[in-house]
Amino acid sequence: MEGLSKKIYLELSAPTEEDSRSDQQRILEALSAEGIEEQVHMPVHILRMIYPLVENAKWKITVSLGWNGENWEILDIEAGNQTGHHYGLAVDLGSTTVVARLLDCVSGRVVKEVSCFNRQIQWGTDILSRIFYCKDNPRKLEEVRQATVDSIVECMDKLDAQWLDECRAKEADRKVQRKTEECDNTEVDGARRGGASCREDSDAESITRSCVSMVVAGNTTMIHFLLGMDAFCVFYTPHAVHGDRPGFQPAKDLGIPIKGYVYCYPSKSNYLGGDIISGMIDTELYKKEEISVFFDIGTNGELVIGNKEFLLCGAGAAGPALEGGVVSTGMRADTGAVDEVKIRDGKILVHVIGNEDGEFQKMDSGNKSDKQEALKNGGKPLQIEAKGICGSGIIDLIAELFLEGWIDIRGKFSPEKSPLIQKKEGQWCVEYAPGLHFYQKDIDEFIRTKSAAHTMVEIMLRESGLELDQAERFYVAGAFGKHVSKESAITIGMYPDMDRDHIINAGNSSLEGAAKLLLNRALLKDIDQILEEMVYIQFAEVEDFLELMVAAQALPHTDFQRYPTVMKKIQERQAKKENVISIKNDINVKKIINY
Amino acid sequence: MEGLSKKIYLELSAPTEEDSRSDQQRILEALSAEGIEEQVHMPVHILRMIYPLVENAKWKITVSLGWNGENWEILDIEAGNQTGHHYGLAVDLGSTTVVARLLDCVSGRVVKEVSCFNRQIQWGTDILSRIFYCKDNPRKLEEVRQATVDSIVECMDKLDAQWLDECRAKEADRKVQRKTEECDNTEVDGARRGGASCREDSDAESITRSCVSMVVAGNTTMIHFLLGMDAFCVFYTPHAVHGDRPGFQPAKDLGIPIKGYVYCYPSKSNYLGGDIISGMIDTELYKKEEISVFFDIGTNGELVIGNKEFLLCGAGAAGPALEGGVVSTGMRADTGAVDEVKIRDGKILVHVIGNEDGEFQKMDSGNKSDKQEALKNGGKPLQIEAKGICGSGIIDLIAELFLEGWIDIRGKFSPEKSPLIQKKEGQWCVEYAPGLHFYQKDIDEFIRTKSAAHTMVEIMLRESGLELDQAERFYVAGAFGKHVSKESAITIGMYPDMDRDHIINAGNSSLEGAAKLLLNRALLKDIDQILEEMVYIQFAEVEDFLELMVAAQALPHTDFQRYPTVMKKIQERQAKKENVISIKNDINVKKIINY
């Protein structure tokens, strides 16, 4: 694989009177003979380690090369053939969670993936608090930088610990095997070598520290913090950030304990960071004939629309209602969060994270949760109680309320539709889980979010001279794409009403793009191309943004014709309940929402 | 100047809503607009310093760029226009002496040059002792490495101290001037800024630490030690050294306190080091139509012969008799060393280092030095007494002994020719200064050295298919070239008998070549070309080396026809003394030396 690192086994000829080339030339020429066409730089610490290592290794060595952006650099020399032991790290530096993936650079296989909280959280869950914490204060900025690096190192340590555990388990297996196979020496030797890094009598080798290259994808603020740059610029107008193309930096200059270079994905602008560029690399949107929409919905929504001929991008506040802290009982997608909601026969059924998949808790009208009942029910383990609701739960809930007719097209409660709709603290609300209420203002807040998201897509398509139905693929990145029900998101008009198979959960495309680049150096050119082609649309400068957003502030949209399958679904659901609400035409609807 | 570093003043436009490029892009694009065509890398420590420096400087900054071998790297950002303050360092890393030259990279002017002893001397004046001291001992190797770096840093400190003294003197002058010119404010402000680095109330800026680039030229062993590589390989057969193309290394990786990169001149082979390659760059031998000989005579003799079409090189033990320790009263060219010798009217006249130029001390037959006489003579200061004889003194002495006929063509004393020739410890000798004797074995030793040197030149020319008289230039590098009398060196057959103007004292060509490269990056290509073109001749493999060397073991040579002007000189000198020795033909001479 032509990745960002290489390990090459060389069998060098020993110097003779006739061939008195220097060790350095001997190695460089052997690399060239192995097909390395680029300049290879040998840093002084490698010059120092040549002797006596190479001689002791009887001139059979493995050279680790790391790409520094323009050339190869020799970053390690090991005795013997160590090409099978070649790993790299891809990191998604999220503002909440840092995910690190250990890749086998020989096979491209994912060896292991771990995550940890971003230690910046100590200065606030929202990015702005962190920015203000260290703004214009180099000492505090250094604290934040260190915490960022520590988060990555924590992931590396986790990977190492898991790796070591596995090695020890394998070693134990081998010991058993050795006893039974003592006659077959070759086999035993092979096993011993393979497990060399895990022998209890030697210092355990760290697999992450043996990595040559790391690719990090993160938003503009995260990368500023990782590199130790003040990030107030990201939010300050004019939005000129300090650094947007960090490229390859020596890992040691960043304080990251790997052997070679750390590549940070560049950002297009303050709000369109390296995580999105990495997502482009992952989805290959920029290479396709068909037009795709790439949407990353978090605190901000980042959006890219295009194909191999054009790329438009933009960002806006599209996701806040889906985060904890905006909706009154909103929380992160963590244990105890309601992440799925169904309404069946007038009852709200919720799934709580931590419980088994498909295990729903019922919320009857006025009843407490049937936890006790579940307990008795066949001796199943105690169910985890709901503590709040996360993004996917919110979307499910609103979609179901809408399909059931408990809320109208404007998202307003119709209290007559269910006894579960109550008035609390002067507002209508529904108790979706014991003691947990979803209020009218929560719905209103959410509708603003979803209409912003919808409007962003609409504007971007319009800027490209396209209609909504001309986008053939709709990629949804991040946790949102992973957990949210497509059906619900379409029902409430967050996603366009399109072929469900063309709505693609891009997963952690930031991490995926980082991993792809780690294994394929040629993508660096693609990144340059993406940055060059991308045109950033300032939504603030779009004159009719607010107008379009108001039009989108209905469920699923004031223009019902955009959502034929939703219309059908409503009719079906209502028909089932023999309580059909006739929706005659969108003109009537427009009247309704023009309140 | 297109040197290894650049300082460029940029007046950037501040970010606006319309132009929200990152600070990084703003700087890089401005550099591109200034004509920087190559890739410019911005390391993380520079990304970190952009804010608030650039903003505070009102977007008027000076960027320091250092060449890293393939690209530019930004190594400093300063507020305002600092392009006038742009210096670099050239270092000749000699095994005895380290010379450092501070260059003004704007004008190319030599600001200052200092030297110090190579601190490796603590482990022996000869290189081999040092090599054996740390052979296969990483801890001791680190000591030697550190001592090497410390020698360079000592030179840097000396440069800084001298610079600071001058600044203070200038500042004092300015203060006086200021008082008399108090009305002219502009002038005073200008002076203040210029002297900012020397103000006593602020931390004195170090001029050497402000340098971006350093070029070091040294022999293969010196460069191994500077980089921390075991150097036993230099003397061990097969002569495959560990590293011969160190290229550009970050100064901080070498422990040298400058901002950017240190370039070490590459070596061609174990005995043909970077100092010689640097000498090539200085003399431009590889560019010339005419054929030149480049000779560096020290403990070893290194030799290059060629022109723009070919380059032959070789090295051999050509100089040991000129060093302290071989000749019985030999010493370095230091205070107290006899460095010039004349014989006039049967008296030996010597010049001693430390006395005024042209001030000779007489050595009469049987008399003590006329020191007392000199003291009385017009109240001149006390003369420094001779303590030994250095290389140039030895060559002068042997040449004069030969011209006077006190030694014969084989270098054997003719005791009847002067009462100054005495027998001491069973050997003939001459007392060249009070209590200091030059023995027959010293002469014999020297003749072996000079015949080796002569033979090397002869063989190299022969290998090029050339006669001795086809070399049009004879460059003599180092202290030898600087101090040795051309006339004497020709007389004894060390130099060829050629137009004196074509024998060129190349001085410290190692340092000069380092300085030239510092100021002219294009020479890097020339260095590659030189290394590629150079063919190394192993003298040990030349079959008739010993035969030729025996033929050269006469004064000036068994083949007198090679030395017409010497023949003429002998005749003149002898005629003057009315004591002509008839030299009929070289056949007779050959008989004489075939003893």
Side-chain angles (χ1 to χ4, degrees):
Chain A
M1 289 222 188
E2 284 296 317
L4 297 181
S5 58
K6 271 178 189 286
K7 286 187 81 163
I8 299 178
Y9 175 58
L10 301 175
E11 294 195 356
L12 304 168
S13 56
T16 60
E17 292 271 5
E18 290 70 40
D19 174 11
S20 61
R21 283 173 303 157
S22 68
D23 300 343
Q24 185 185 14
Q25 289 305 313
R26 205 168 290 275
I27 293 168
L28 293 177
E29 285 172 22
L31 286 172
S32 174
E34 289 291 323
I36 304 290
E37 287 166 8
E38 299 88 357
Q39 188 90 20
V40 177
H41 180 59
M42 199 183 275
V44 69
H45 73 274
I46 297 296
L47 282 169
R48 281 175 197 157
M49 76 189 291
I50 288 177
Y51 176 84
L53 187 152
V54 177
E55 204 175 300
N56 291 346
K58 300 196 168 64
W59 303 91
K60 297 179 201 310
I61 55 169
T62 300
V63 172
S64 295
L65 299 177
W67 188 250
N68 71 12
E70 284 102 21
N71 309 291
W72 290 109
E73 193 164 308
I74 300 186
L75 291 161
D76 199 13
I77 298 180
E78 295 164 282
N81 188 343
Q82 307 292 341
T83 51
H85 188 87
H86 179 194
Y87 301 95
L89 287 161
V91 173
D92 167 41
L93 183 58
S95 54
T96 306
T97 310
V98 179
V99 189
R101 178 181 287 181
L102 180 69
L103 287 136
D104 182 330
C105 298
V106 182
S107 63
R109 184 177 60 93
V110 176
V111 180
K112 220 165 265 304
E113 191 175 307
V114 299
S115 68
C116 69
F117 279 109
N118 187 326
R119 295 187 181 196
Q120 293 167 9
I121 290 173
Q122 64 190 291
W123 298 293
T125 49
D126 61 313
I127 292 186
L128 259 176
S129 311
R130 308 179 197 173
I131 289 175
F132 278 109
Y133 171 73
C134 59
K135 177 177 179 299
D136 288 313
N137 187 323
R139 193 184 50 76
K140 289 182 174 175
L141 176 58
E142 173 55 20
E143 283 177 45
V144 174
R145 187 198 66 77
Q146 190 61 56
T148 313
V149 171
D150 288 347
S151 308
I152 293 176
V153 174
E154 183 182 333
C155 285
M156 291 172 67
D157 290 342
K158 268 193 189 178
L159 287 167
D160 282 335
Q162 291 185 14
W163 168 262
L164 206 60
D165 283 349
E166 275 179 30
C167 282
R168 286 199 181 119
K170 277 185 202 158
E171 184 66 8
D173 285 352
R174 275 191 207 105
K175 274 183 191 159
V176 174
Q177 201 188 0
R178 227 172 286 161
K179 282 190 182 167
T180 59
E181 292 183 350
E182 260 175 351
C183 48
D184 188 352
N185 284 319
T186 328
E187 190 69 18
V188 174
D189 280 345
R192 255 187 206 134
R193 203 177 49 212
S197 59
C198 327
R199 282 193 316 232
E200 281 173 28
D201 55 344
S202 72
D203 279 339
E205 193 195 349
S206 153
I207 189 161
T208 59
R209 272 66 173 177
S210 82
C211 290
V212 170
S213 301
M214 176 188 281
V215 177
V216 180
N219 69 35
T220 311
T221 302
M222 288 306 111
I223 299 299
H224 269 62
F225 283 155
L226 175 64
L227 301 180
M229 295 188 280
D230 194 297
F232 183 61
C233 57
V234 175
F235 287 88
Y236 184 75
T237 312
H239 295 297
V241 300
H242 300 315
D244 50 359
R245 310 280 162 97
F248 290 86
Q249 298 284 352
K252 66 170 183 234
D253 291 355
L254 266 52
I256 291 177
I258 61 163
K259 287 179 182 170
Y261 285 80
V262 174
Y263 176 82
C264 295
Y265 259 99
S267 57
K268 174 67 188 173
S269 72
N270 55 339
Y271 291 132
L272 214 111
D275 49 344
I276 304 301
I277 307 297
S278 184
M280 291 298 101
I281 290 296
D282 178 40
T283 56
E284 301 191 331
L285 190 148
Y286 63 101
K287 280 175 155 182
K288 296 190 161 118
E289 194 81 46
E290 69 206 30
I291 290 159
S292 307
V293 174
F294 176 93
F295 212 161
D296 189 351
I297 305 170
T299 309
N300 258 284
E302 290 101 24
L303 188 62
V304 187
I305 290 181
N307 65 358
K308 63 177 191 171
E309 275 156 17
F310 76 97
L311 286 173
L312 285 186
C313 62
L322 299 165
E323 303 260 306
V326 175
V327 161
S328 50
T329 55
M331 67 177 283
R332 298 191 173 279
D334 215 341
T335 307
V338 166
D339 65 340
E340 277 181 73
V341 181
K342 293 191 282 200
I343 302 179
R344 294 290 178 272
D345 305 324
K347 291 171 187 165
I348 298 178
L349 302 168
V350 297
H351 175 263
V352 179
I353 297 179
N355 292 329
E356 274 174 43
D357 284 355
E359 187 181 29
F360 279 79
Q361 298 175 15
K362 246 177 284 176
M363 186 63 203
D364 272 324
S365 74
N367 286 2
K368 281 276 167 193
S369 132
D370 48 1
K371 194 172 71 174
Q372 300 308 323
E373 201 179 315
L375 243 180
K376 286 175 261 163
N377 181 13
K380 274 194 192 172
L382 187 68
Q383 281 187 326
I384 285 167
E385 232 175 309
K387 289 189 291 190
I389 189 162
C390 68
S392 62
I394 293 170
I395 288 172
D396 262 9
L397 177 60
I398 296 176
E400 287 291 304
L401 291 174
F402 176 59
L403 288 175
E404 288 295 312
W406 295 12
I407 56 176
D408 65 16
I409 194 168
R410 299 168 306 158
K412 299 299 177 197
F413 276 112
S414 306
E416 72 281 7
K417 295 293 170 64
S418 167
L420 284 172
I421 304 170
Q422 319 156 29
K423 201 148 200 169
K424 228 177 140 75
E425 292 165 43
Q427 278 187 75
W428 289 109
C429 65
V430 66
E431 190 178 13
Y432 62 94
L436 298 172
H437 299 83
F438 206 78
Y439 292 91
Q440 184 63 56
K441 76 162 180 46
D442 295 335
I443 298 176
D444 296 346
E445 193 71 60
F446 173 79
I447 288 183
R448 267 191 290 279
T449 282
K450 86 96 193 172
S451 65
H454 184 97
T455 306
M456 281 165 63
V457 178
E458 192 177 356
I459 287 173
M460 296 279 274
L461 284 164
R462 193 182 62 184
E463 292 285 326
S464 338
L466 298 167
E467 298 296 323
L468 208 57
D469 59 5
Q470 285 183 275
E472 292 192 33
R473 291 276 181 288
F474 196 83
Y475 292 94
V476 189
F480 192 91
K482 191 169 166 191
H483 298 293
V484 163
S485 143
K486 286 179 197 176
E487 220 42 73
S488 297
I490 293 169
T491 300
I492 59 162
M494 186 130 191
Y495 292 176
D497 191 351
M498 65 198 288
D499 184 344
R500 274 49 172 173
D501 291 341
H502 289 191
I503 296 176
I504 297 150
N505 161 25
N508 189 344
S509 58
S510 168
L511 181 68
E512 297 296 338
K516 281 185 180 170
L517 175 61
L518 189 79
L519 299 171
N520 184 4
R521 201 168 72 253
L523 293 174
L524 288 168
K525 277 189 196 138
D526 294 33
I527 292 170
D528 285 344
Q529 184 201 327
I530 290 167
L531 288 173
E532 205 163 300
E533 282 182 7
M534 265 190 173
V535 176
Y536 190 82
I537 304 293
Q538 291 279 9
F539 290 123
E541 288 168 15
V542 175
E543 272 183 25
D544 56 351
F545 189 93
L546 279 178
E547 203 174 313
L548 291 167
M549 200 168 133
V550 167
Q553 276 174 3
L555 300 173
H557 193 274
T558 51
D559 181 0
F560 271 29
Q561 285 169 357
R562 294 185 183 183
Y563 285 87
T565 72
V566 176
M567 292 303 98
K568 209 176 146 207
K569 220 162 26 172
I570 292 171
Q571 283 163 350
E572 285 167 7
R573 180 86 68 111
Q574 302 299 346
K576 214 181 268 174
K577 296 206 290 177
E578 300 173 327
N579 187 5
V580 182
I581 295 165
S582 124
I583 296 159
K584 294 225 167 110
N585 55 50
D586 62 339
I587 295 160
N588 285 345
V589 172
K590 270 194 183 152
K591 272 188 194 150
I592 296 171
I593 72 133
N594 285 338
Y595 50 93
Chain B
M1 289 222 188
E2 281 297 318
L4 296 182
S5 58
K6 272 178 189 283
K7 286 188 81 164
I8 299 178
Y9 175 60
L10 302 174
E11 294 195 355
L12 304 168
S13 56
T16 61
E17 292 270 6
E18 289 70 40
D19 173 12
S20 61
R21 283 173 301 157
S22 69
D23 299 343
Q24 185 185 14
Q25 290 304 314
R26 205 168 289 276
I27 293 168
L28 292 177
E29 286 172 20
L31 286 172
S32 175
E34 289 291 322
I36 303 291
E37 286 164 7
E38 298 87 357
Q39 188 89 21
V40 177
H41 180 59
M42 199 181 274
V44 69
H45 73 275
I46 297 296
L47 283 169
R48 281 174 197 158
M49 76 190 288
I50 288 178
Y51 176 83
L53 188 151
V54 178
E55 203 176 299
N56 290 346
K58 300 195 166 63
W59 304 90
K60 296 179 203 308
I61 55 168
T62 301
V63 172
S64 295
L65 300 177
W67 188 250
N68 71 12
E70 284 103 21
N71 309 293
W72 290 110
E73 193 164 308
I74 300 186
L75 291 160
D76 200 13
I77 298 180
E78 295 163 281
N81 188 343
Q82 307 292 341
T83 51
H85 187 87
H86 179 195
Y87 301 94
L89 287 161
V91 173
D92 167 41
L93 183 58
S95 55
T96 307
T97 310
V98 179
V99 189
R101 178 182 285 181
L102 180 69
L103 287 136
D104 182 330
C105 298
V106 182
S107 64
R109 183 176 62 91
V110 177
V111 180
K112 221 166 266 304
E113 191 175 307
V114 298
S115 67
C116 70
F117 280 110
N118 187 326
R119 294 188 181 198
Q120 293 168 7
I121 290 174
Q122 63 190 292
W123 298 292
T125 49
D126 61 314
I127 292 186
L128 260 177
S129 312
R130 308 178 198 173
I131 288 175
F132 277 109
Y133 172 73
C134 59
K135 177 179 179 296
D136 288 313
N137 188 323
R139 193 183 50 75
K140 289 182 175 178
L141 177 58
E142 173 56 20
E143 283 177 45
V144 174
R145 188 198 67 78
Q146 191 61 56
T148 313
V149 171
D150 288 348
S151 308
I152 293 175
V153 175
E154 183 182 333
C155 285
M156 291 172 67
D157 289 342
K158 268 194 190 179
L159 287 168
D160 281 336
Q162 291 185 15
W163 168 264
L164 205 61
D165 283 349
E166 275 179 30
C167 282
R168 286 197 180 120
K170 277 186 201 156
E171 185 66 8
D173 285 353
R174 273 190 209 106
K175 274 183 189 158
V176 173
Q177 203 188 357
R178 225 172 286 160
K179 282 190 179 165
T180 59
E181 294 183 350
E182 262 176 347
C183 48
D184 188 349
N185 283 320
T186 325
E187 189 70 17
V188 174
D189 281 345
R192 253 188 207 132
R193 201 176 50 210
S197 58
C198 326
R199 281 194 315 233
E200 281 172 29
D201 55 343
S202 72
D203 279 338
E205 192 195 348
S206 153
I207 188 161
T208 60
R209 271 66 172 177
S210 81
C211 290
V212 171
S213 301
M214 177 188 281
V215 177
V216 179
N219 68 36
T220 311
T221 303
M222 287 306 110
I223 298 300
H224 269 61
F225 282 155
L226 175 65
L227 302 181
M229 295 187 278
D230 194 298
F232 183 61
C233 57
V234 175
F235 287 88
Y236 184 75
T237 310
H239 294 296
V241 300
H242 300 315
D244 51 0
R245 310 279 161 98
F248 290 86
Q249 299 284 350
K252 67 170 182 236
D253 290 355
L254 266 51
I256 292 177
I258 61 164
K259 288 178 182 169
Y261 285 81
V262 173
Y263 175 82
C264 295
Y265 259 100
S267 57
K268 175 66 188 174
S269 73
N270 56 339
Y271 291 131
L272 214 111
D275 49 345
I276 305 300
I277 308 298
S278 184
M280 292 298 101
I281 291 295
D282 178 40
T283 56
E284 301 192 330
L285 192 147
Y286 63 101
K287 279 175 155 181
K288 295 189 162 115
E289 195 80 46
E290 69 206 28
I291 289 158
S292 307
V293 174
F294 176 92
F295 212 162
D296 189 350
I297 306 170
T299 309
N300 260 283
E302 289 101 25
L303 187 64
V304 186
I305 290 181
N307 65 358
K308 62 178 194 171
E309 275 155 16
F310 76 99
L311 285 174
L312 286 186
C313 63
L322 299 165
E323 302 258 308
V326 175
V327 160
S328 49
T329 54
M331 67 177 285
R332 295 187 176 282
D334 216 340
T335 307
V338 167
D339 66 340
E340 275 183 74
V341 181
K342 292 191 282 198
I343 302 179
R344 293 293 177 269
D345 305 324
K347 291 169 187 167
I348 298 177
L349 304 167
V350 297
H351 176 263
V352 179
I353 297 178
N355 292 328
E356 275 176 39
D357 283 355
E359 188 180 27
F360 280 80
Q361 298 173 16
K362 247 178 283 175
M363 186 66 203
D364 271 322
S365 74
N367 286 4
K368 283 275 167 194
S369 131
D370 47 2
K371 193 174 72 178
Q372 300 307 323
E373 203 181 310
L375 242 180
K376 287 176 256 162
N377 181 15
K380 275 193 190 169
L382 186 70
Q383 283 187 324
I384 285 168
E385 235 174 309
K387 290 190 290 191
I389 189 162
C390 68
S392 63
I394 292 170
I395 286 171
D396 262 10
L397 177 59
I398 296 176
E400 287 292 302
L401 291 173
F402 177 59
L403 288 176
E404 287 295 311
W406 295 13
I407 58 174
D408 65 14
I409 194 169
R410 298 167 308 159
K412 300 299 178 195
F413 276 114
S414 306
E416 73 281 7
K417 294 293 170 66
S418 167
L420 284 172
I421 304 171
Q422 319 154 31
K423 201 148 198 168
K424 229 179 138 80
E425 294 165 42
Q427 274 188 77
W428 289 110
C429 66
V430 67
E431 191 178 12
Y432 62 94
L436 297 171
H437 299 83
F438 205 78
Y439 292 91
Q440 184 63 57
K441 76 159 182 48
D442 294 336
I443 298 176
D444 296 348
E445 194 71 62
F446 173 79
I447 286 183
R448 269 191 290 279
T449 282
K450 85 96 194 171
S451 64
H454 184 96
T455 306
M456 282 165 63
V457 177
E458 193 177 353
I459 287 173
M460 297 279 274
L461 285 165
R462 194 182 62 184
E463 293 284 327
S464 337
L466 298 167
E467 298 295 323
L468 208 56
D469 60 3
Q470 285 182 275
E472 290 191 37
R473 291 275 182 288
F474 196 84
Y475 292 93
V476 189
F480 191 91
K482 192 168 166 193
H483 297 293
V484 163
S485 144
K486 285 179 196 175
E487 221 39 75
S488 297
I490 293 169
T491 299
I492 59 161
M494 186 128 191
Y495 293 176
D497 191 352
M498 66 197 289
D499 183 344
R500 275 48 173 173
D501 291 344
H502 289 191
I503 296 176
I504 296 149
N505 161 25
N508 189 344
S509 58
S510 167
L511 181 67
E512 298 295 338
K516 281 184 180 169
L517 175 60
L518 189 79
L519 299 172
N520 183 3
R521 202 167 72 251
L523 293 174
L524 289 168
K525 276 189 195 138
D526 295 33
I527 292 169
D528 285 344
Q529 185 202 327
I530 290 167
L531 288 172
E532 205 162 301
E533 283 181 6
M534 266 191 173
V535 176
Y536 190 81
I537 304 293
Q538 291 279 8
F539 290 121
E541 288 168 15
V542 176
E543 273 181 25
D544 56 351
F545 189 92
L546 279 180
E547 204 176 313
L548 291 166
M549 200 170 133
V550 167
Q553 275 174 4
L555 300 174
H557 193 274
T558 52
D559 181 0
F560 270 31
Q561 286 169 357
R562 292 185 183 182
Y563 286 87
T565 72
V566 176
M567 292 303 99
K568 210 176 143 205
K569 223 168 12 177
I570 292 171
Q571 283 163 351
E572 283 169 7
R573 180 86 68 112
Q574 302 300 345
K576 214 181 268 174
K577 295 207 287 178
E578 299 172 329
N579 186 8
V580 182
I581 295 165
S582 125
I583 297 157
K584 295 224 168 107
N585 55 50
D586 63 338
I587 294 161
N588 284 346
V589 171
K590 269 191 181 153
K591 272 188 193 150
I592 296 169
I593 71 132
N594 286 335
Y595 48 93

